Amino acid sequence: MSIAENVETYTGYAWERDADGIVTVTMDDPDASVNTMNPHFTAALEATVDRLEAERESIAGVILASAKKSWFAGGDLNLLRAADPAKAAEETAHIDHVKALLRGLEQLGRPVVAALNGTALGGGLEVALACHHRIAASDARGAQFGLPEVSLGLLPGGGGITRTVRMLGLQKALQEVILPATKFRTEDAVAVGIVDETAPLAELHDRARAWITANPAPVVPWDEKGFRLPGGAVSSPSVAGMLPALPALLRKQLKGAPMPAPRAALAAAVEGAYVDFDTASRIETRYLVSLTHDQVAKNMIKAFFFDLQEINAGGSRPLASDGSPFPKFTATKVGVIGAGMMGAGIAYVSARAGIDVVLKDVSVEAAEKGKDYSRMLEQKALARGKTTPEKSEALLARIHPTADAADFDGVDFVIEAVFESVPVKQGVFQEIEDIVRPDAVLGSNTSTLPITQLSEGVKRRDDFIGIHFFSPVDKMPLVEIVRGENTGDEVLAKTFDYVQQIRKTPIVVNDSRGFFTSRVIGTFIAEAVAAVGEGVEPASVEQAALQAGYPAGALQLLDELTISLSQKIRIETRTAVEADGGVWTEHPSEAVMDWIVDEAKRPGRKAGGGFYDYSPEGRRVGIWPGLREKYGSGRTVLPLIDLQERMLFAEALDAIDCLDKGVLTSVADANIGSIYGIGFPAWTGGVLQYVNQYDGGLDGFIARARELADTYGERFAPPASLTARAERGETYE
């Protein structure tokens, strides 16, 4: 085919050749807001590579650009989620075909530069890695680069493992890029080695042209004779001595959780390091295809992409009465009442987002102590090179400690984080509600107290809302927004916007004692405590939780939350239920908690003892022997799966009850809230997806729930709403 014929029939990406023979290829999916590895990409890339090869002699180099705000978003998760074992050969052939096209770019014989004007994650970064050089825009706000596939139950199967191992060395690629699934900021991507340099956006193409001119015939190192892996070949003493430790380290990190992706990624990297590039690429493909057929990947894709996308797009943000969206709200001055651990953390994340903060406590000294938390975090960030002295100083200058309510003048968003007492919380709002702006949001950071009841202590009840943070605030990604009976739609929209402004994920629930997260996590803890009371070895109970995929054992968690606080909340909840004419059903865990608090005098870690013993420095040293003595630990041995499913089913059934009663209004909120807020195992895809994906679907879940109910108590009986849903052939979507 002649060049003229090639151009005439060309169906690839936009193509522009300059006078120097440098071709700019601009990726642009016409049917989507981002570029992904969908059928359009495959067809356009194939036509583009064919033309590049046909016209190679007249081409000096290639700049691979993007017409989108992000450079390339990644793989097509719809296709990956729909993978079917019956089509394994077809799926393998497709992935290998795409990788062959990328290999065609890499072996074009002309310099190919990725001009990264924005984010390149997953498959997007893998496209960039197939280029000879990567230049990222230094001023592309929020740009991220990395291979996050393992966090979605997958692995970087578009060449990501094969190339990063050869670029960085086996150990560095695994431990810094692939297994942690890190999304790097631009400067960190350069530091780790997956991006080569940065330039201002306006200079990106000039810098790409300059590199092409200086490197007219680049060859990737792994295509050169005598190539050796950075850091040493797998057969070298230094690497060979390290290899046996990698599976052990991975097992320690996973704690026995059913997470196949990290193990597959490790295997693909190590096996691929023994062979040539093309063979390694085929190994990588086969591991990826096997993961796409695993239910865990389907669960995690649903949660961490589709459910999270629904939330971030404002699925729970209310509309105005006329159906139009409320104007976007940006907080300018946040008033935080209470400078304890929670208040200090809220002040920090608000200031980090560029918001001025008034941090109030009973004395200036107490407020300054709260600011010390921000000072400590910034000192750590400076030591790690994550910030600069100028940025740190500016952040801290935005936090204004005070004991004077008058300093709340001009505040447009209030967050109270004081002692969990209705009168105390109402009192602090009464002190400031006439000082703050008349349209200020009045938010309470409470984990259990009813928002409607708290709102009765203020004049502007429709401006009152719950805004439940998780500790430590600077690390936990979730905020549970609680709508009271009086809360106005616009206030809810403002609160949603503020949570996103501070770069957290908001879920929205309706008012109820314990809301969603606090009440559901309580059922997980209760089953563990009940098993201890039945005579099950406490260490076995903790291991069951860890091997189910929980980040910590329930007894450890309860010690840290404080057993006496859990007891207090339960007593208050029982009193409220009975005052409303309800009947309280006692859980078998209650007697164990009452004994350890009231008789053993071990209310938790802060007091020096709970289910665990602690050193004088507060380090956990082991299960308290008195617990084993009291309950004859070891006299009862339960199947591991029963211990695990008592915890998992208890939370799932309570989440269904939350949905039935309108506490939850969104499946996405349930799934993301359970993973991000209360540590429900990530491999499940969330608390309601766990029900969907159970062996046999909803019918299988119902049958197993009845088995648990027969053995461990009526609390496991499946609700009528669940059986009705199963009869209709529906799932929780």
Side-chain angles (χ1 to χ4, degrees):
M1 180 184 291
S2 69
I3 291 178
E5 290 172 327
N6 186 60
V7 172
E8 194 173 303
T9 60
Y10 179 62
T11 57
Y13 284 123
W15 175 293
E16 182 181 346
R17 188 200 312 260
D18 67 14
D20 297 323
I22 295 174
V23 173
T24 298
V25 172
T26 304
M27 299 179 292
D28 188 8
D29 187 335
D31 300 317
S33 60
V34 294
N35 293 312
T36 61
M37 284 183 165
N38 57 14
H40 173 269
F41 164 76
T42 304
L45 180 65
E46 184 169 19
T48 302
V49 172
D50 285 348
R51 183 175 176 184
L52 286 170
E53 290 175 343
E55 301 182 24
R56 177 169 44 213
E57 296 308 315
S58 63
I59 293 173
V62 181
I63 300 173
L64 192 57
S66 170
K68 308 297 187 183
K69 184 178 179 181
S70 65
W71 192 76
F72 199 108
D76 187 334
L77 293 177
N78 281 300
L79 289 176
L80 292 170
R81 189 182 176 198
D84 183 348
K87 298 179 179 178
E90 179 184 331
E91 291 161 0
T92 300
H94 171 72
I95 294 169
D96 282 341
H97 175 60
V98 173
K99 292 165 77 169
L101 295 174
L102 294 174
R103 188 77 165 126
L105 275 183
E106 191 171 61
Q107 295 186 316
L108 184 64
R110 297 292 183 271
V112 182
V113 178
L116 305 169
N117 61 299
T119 290
L121 290 172
L125 182 65
E126 289 176 305
V127 173
L129 292 175
C131 300
H132 301 105
H133 196 67
R134 288 155 293 283
I135 309 175
S138 56
D139 48 356
R141 186 176 179 185
Q144 294 180 312
F145 306 91
L147 300 171
E149 285 91 341
V150 167
S151 67
L152 293 171
L154 301 168
L155 57 74
I161 288 179
T162 304
R163 287 191 173 89
T164 55
V165 165
R166 283 155 178 76
M167 289 169 60
L168 309 175
L170 181 63
Q171 188 170 5
K172 184 176 181 180
L174 280 169
Q175 295 184 346
E176 296 186 31
V177 179
I178 298 166
L179 294 180
T182 307
K183 297 177 181 179
F184 296 97
R185 297 179 302 173
T186 305
E187 56 269 30
D188 295 328
V190 174
V192 80
I194 56 175
V195 170
D196 296 304
E197 61 173 308
T198 65
L201 183 60
E203 300 175 17
L204 208 55
H205 282 247
D206 288 342
R207 289 280 281 275
R209 288 185 178 90
W211 193 89
I212 287 170
T213 302
N215 298 272
V219 177
V220 290
W222 43 93
D223 282 340
E224 293 181 333
K225 190 175 181 179
F227 169 72
R228 293 288 182 269
L229 287 179
V234 283
S235 57
S236 67
S238 60
V239 178
M242 170 272 296
L243 281 179
L246 291 179
L249 286 171
L250 191 58
R251 271 198 305 273
K252 183 178 179 181
Q253 290 168 358
L254 295 177
K255 302 172 185 174
M259 301 279 279
R263 290 189 285 271
L266 173 61
V270 173
E271 292 171 25
Y274 279 101
V275 295
D276 63 275
F277 183 95
D278 292 332
T279 304
S281 183
R282 288 195 293 273
I283 290 170
E284 177 192 275
T285 298
R286 290 172 183 176
Y287 274 111
L288 173 62
V289 171
S290 70
L291 286 175
T292 64
H293 298 155
D294 190 275
Q295 185 61 46
V296 170
K298 297 180 189 299
N299 294 341
M300 296 180 76
I301 290 170
K302 181 182 188 304
F304 297 116
F305 185 77
F306 293 103
D307 287 344
L308 194 58
Q309 186 179 61
E310 179 183 331
I311 289 171
N312 290 335
S316 296
R317 189 181 190 270
L319 299 174
S321 57
D322 63 359
S324 64
F326 287 104
K328 187 76 171 177
F329 170 74
T330 302
T332 58
K333 188 176 183 181
V334 169
V336 179
I337 309 173
M341 186 69 176
M342 292 297 289
I346 295 166
Y348 177 73
V349 297
S350 298
R352 187 174 62 185
I355 306 170
D356 283 331
V357 180
V358 181
L359 180 59
K360 182 183 180 301
D361 212 303
V362 293
S363 67
V364 173
E365 292 75 19
E368 283 286 355
K369 187 176 179 182
K371 185 173 178 177
D372 284 343
Y373 183 72
S374 294
R375 295 185 179 107
M376 178 266 293
L377 290 176
E378 284 301 292
Q379 286 171 359
K380 288 183 177 180
L382 283 166
R384 295 194 302 265
K386 297 296 184 182
T387 189
T388 64
E390 294 77 18
K391 289 180 181 178
S392 182
E393 185 178 337
L395 186 155
L396 293 173
R398 287 193 284 271
I399 301 174
H400 311 282
T402 187
D404 189 351
D407 289 337
F408 270 51
D409 181 41
V411 162
D412 54 10
F413 203 104
V414 179
I415 304 171
E416 158 277 310
V418 299
F419 183 68
E420 287 282 285
S421 159
V422 172
V424 172
K425 288 180 181 291
Q426 289 177 336
V428 298
F429 277 110
Q430 289 161 5
E431 186 181 12
I432 56 87
E433 66 176 323
D434 292 328
I435 300 171
V436 298
R437 287 181 50 164
D439 60 348
V441 173
L442 305 177
S444 175
N445 174 57
T446 176
S447 58
T448 59
L449 297 177
I451 295 304
T452 303
Q453 182 182 358
L454 289 174
S455 73
E456 292 169 357
V458 302
K459 298 171 185 175
R460 294 184 287 115
R461 297 181 182 182
D462 59 337
D463 289 334
F464 200 92
I465 196 165
I467 180 164
H468 176 207
F469 287 84
F470 297 81
S471 184
V473 176
D474 53 289
K475 292 181 180 177
M476 294 295 281
L478 191 80
V479 175
E480 183 179 34
I481 301 172
V482 187
R483 178 176 192 153
E485 291 177 13
N486 302 314
T487 305
D489 284 345
E490 186 169 9
V491 169
L492 176 52
K494 283 182 174 182
T495 306
F496 193 97
D497 292 345
Y498 162 74
V499 172
Q500 291 194 318
Q501 186 181 352
I502 61 171
R503 297 188 285 278
K504 301 287 185 185
T505 299
I507 64 166
V508 178
V509 303
N510 285 316
D511 196 13
S512 175
R513 190 171 283 271
F515 318 134
F516 163 58
T517 55
S518 294
R519 65 172 272 187
V520 169
I521 196 174
T523 64
F524 156 61
I525 291 169
E527 286 307 314
V529 173
V532 171
E534 294 161 17
V536 178
E537 164 56 42
S540 297
V541 175
E542 296 290 75
Q543 273 301 306
L546 294 174
Q547 292 185 40
Y550 287 97
L555 305 181
Q556 174 190 336
L557 179 62
L558 185 53
D559 268 8
E560 292 174 0
L561 293 173
T562 307
I563 311 168
S564 56
L565 176 60
S566 180
Q567 180 196 50
K568 175 179 178 289
I569 291 169
R570 183 241 305 165
I571 292 170
E572 289 176 351
T573 303
R574 177 172 186 165
T575 300
V577 167
E578 292 176 343
D580 289 340
V583 177
W584 181 262
T585 302
E586 190 166 323
H587 192 279
S589 64
E590 294 178 24
V592 180
M593 284 202 221
D594 289 343
W595 174 79
I596 201 165
V597 173
D598 299 334
E599 297 185 38
K601 307 298 182 186
R602 297 178 65 86
R605 182 174 186 170
K606 286 182 181 177
F611 290 100
Y612 284 86
D613 273 333
Y614 297 90
S615 69
E617 299 78 28
R619 183 173 56 84
R620 193 172 64 256
V621 295
I623 297 290
W624 174 49
L627 185 66
R628 294 190 171 105
E629 182 180 344
K630 170 68 176 177
Y631 293 106
S633 299
R635 62 184 170 86
T636 302
V637 178
L638 299 180
L640 179 69
I641 190 66
D642 280 21
L643 286 172
Q644 293 174 325
E645 292 194 341
R646 282 174 66 173
M647 300 171 190
L648 293 163
F649 271 62
E651 292 198 272
L653 290 166
D654 202 42
I656 291 170
D657 189 58
C658 286
L659 195 66
D660 291 345
K661 292 178 178 175
V663 178
L664 282 168
T665 60
S666 157
V667 171
D669 282 345
N671 287 334
I672 294 300
S674 65
I675 296 172
Y676 278 6
I678 55 177
F680 197 77
W683 67 266
T684 66
V687 70
L688 293 180
Q689 177 61 16
Y690 174 69
V691 181
N692 293 338
Q693 63 87 57
Y694 196 80
D695 189 19
L698 266 59
D699 288 331
F701 183 90
I702 290 167
R704 178 57 171 155
R706 287 176 176 149
E707 289 179 2
L708 293 173
D710 290 342
T711 308
Y712 300 107
E714 194 60 22
R715 62 189 180 276
F716 290 104
S721 67
L722 174 59
T723 55
R725 189 180 289 263
E727 288 169 1
R728 295 192 301 269
E730 298 174 358
T731 56
Y732 292 99
E733 298 296 338

